[in-house]
Amino acid sequence: MQCIDDHQDDEEWVQEWCEKYEARRDSVLKNKMKFKGGLTSEEVSFSMTEEQIAAAFDNLENSDEKIVMLWQTYHSKLSGLVSDKFVDLDVLGETMNHLAKSAEVTVKRKLPIILEGGKPNLISCKDVEMLPLCLSLYNDKEQPLPTYDEILVCTSETTAEEVELIIRRAVQPGSPHEKIYCLLNADKLNHDVSRKFESIFYKKTQDAHVQGGMYKSDYQLFIFCDSKAHHSYVATAFDMFKRTVSENSNRNKEIKQYLLHKHQTSSEVKTGFTELNQLDQFQMKTKVIFSEHAGMGKSLYVKNLVNVSEEKLKSAGFTYKTIRINQSQLRTEDIVSQLQQFEDKPMDKVPRIFHFDIPPVVSIFILYVGKADYI
């Protein structure tokens, strides 16, 4: 509006109209705003030219009517902008829902008999037992390895948003998948995030049930805490859901066989390294080359493998990346940012080697990489 442009530097005029707006805002918004788009016979026609709109605005005597006209003009132009230039949230949501339903693989994980769905399962165990226990939940050769959306490794830096996201994935209905969601080291969450974790969980489940809301009644959620931290906020808050997992002397052996099966390269499936005709070198998608001391030839082994691959697979687009892990505390974001440079399409079979160079002074870590041939 020209009159607004003319008076935008007039503080007294702006203050006067701001006070009028504040005084009448609630009643105006309740009684006269049209949020659903479209025009009625009582509304101003926004097919008018700017000059006609300005003249109509000047002829309005009531401040309420002027506020309504300002809003309707703005809303009309904004609606046109959104529909022409952007996708609204409803369309985006429907699109994402359609993509989710079109997934070729539907994950159907089953819980062990001693554990219960539809409730959080608090597992208190030694720190060294936590990862094997977690992986044992996914020990099903018919189902894929757990992905980043199913497991959250908690630290003191973990945010409330990260915790809320995994809770939402676990309890909200609508997904065709039946996944198992785990929070590892939940006792390491700082106090504020721990409180929000408890609040968010009960809000999404119990409150939704009481108020007639929607949540997935058979969700599968596990919270792992160090047994030494039994007085932590999370362990105390979810103590009523504590579960006892029986000892299994063969657990590590079973997990080893499970990972061996999942990382094995099928002789019937063509990969980016098939042309090398060295099946002994590429029977597994992952190799761990280790020694008790430095200078024993680990990097030389990888270098020779890379040289052979570069010579014979250059036309296939062979690439490799060495990622050195030097810090005592690993930040997953740093690793992911380097891997994202080599992101492929799902059906691509690009021969590629990722070399994680870990000196003996750094603790060994586990990292899963999907949709690629890697070492």
Side-chain angles (χ1 to χ4, degrees), residues 118-121 163-164 166-168 170-171 183 194-208 215 219 221-223 237-238 240-241:
K119 294 180 180 179
N121 292 267
V163 174
E164 180 175 1
I166 195 168
I167 293 175
R168 283 181 177 273
V171 305
L183 291 93
S194 297
R195 291 185 61 185
K196 290 179 181 177
F197 175 19
E198 180 188 23
S199 174
I200 291 168
F201 172 77
Y202 285 110
K203 183 177 181 181
K204 297 298 179 186
T205 55
Q206 291 188 358
D207 289 353
Y215 78 98
Y219 64 87
L221 178 65
F222 289 82
I223 305 167
F238 292 91
M240 69 178 71
F241 302 107

Side-chain angles (χ1 to χ4, degrees), residues 92-105:
L92 178 61
E94 289 296 328
T95 303
M96 298 299 290
N97 188 41
H98 176 74
L99 290 174
K101 291 180 179 179
S102 65
E104 295 182 1
V105 178

Side-chain angles (χ1 to χ4, degrees), residues 124 187-188 225-233 235-236:
S124 180
D187 54 279
K188 294 184 179 180
C225 291
D226 190 339
S227 55
K228 293 182 179 180
H230 58 277
H231 292 306
S232 66
Y233 189 98
T236 304

Side-chain angles (χ1 to χ4, degrees), residues 273-366:
F273 291 98
T274 303
E275 297 179 16
L276 284 181
N277 295 320
Q278 296 182 11
L279 297 180
D280 57 326
Q281 291 278 23
F282 298 98
Q283 288 180 346
M284 303 296 296
K285 295 179 181 178
T286 304
K287 285 180 180 287
V288 179
I289 305 164
F290 65 93
S291 65
E292 295 182 359
H293 305 285
M296 301 298 291
K298 298 185 295 297
S299 296
L300 180 61
Y301 174 89
V302 176
K303 182 179 179 181
N304 291 336
L305 191 59
V306 168
N307 289 339
V308 172
S309 301
E310 282 185 322
E311 180 181 350
K312 297 185 177 182
L313 299 175
K314 185 176 181 179
S315 61
F318 170 79
T319 55
Y320 77 96
K321 174 68 175 179
T322 297
I323 300 176
R324 290 181 171 82
I325 312 298
N326 298 318
Q327 296 83 5
S328 58
Q329 290 188 347
L330 178 67
R331 293 184 72 254
T332 308
E333 297 84 355
D334 296 337
I335 303 297
V336 172
S337 64
Q338 297 189 61
L339 294 177
Q340 283 179 333
Q341 303 173 29
F342 301 92
E343 187 174 3
D344 299 317
K345 296 179 180 178
M347 300 308 294
D348 286 348
K349 296 185 181 298
V350 180
R352 180 170 295 132
I353 290 177
F354 292 116
H355 173 207
F356 295 93
D357 190 1
I358 309 172
V361 295
V362 179
S363 299
I364 296 296
F365 69 96
I366 294 179

Side-chain angles (χ1 to χ4, degrees), residues 255-266:
I255 293 173
K256 184 177 180 180
Q257 292 299 318
Y258 167 63
L259 294 177
L260 183 67
H261 172 78
K262 288 298 181 182
H263 286 274
Q264 196 165 18
T265 302
S266 173

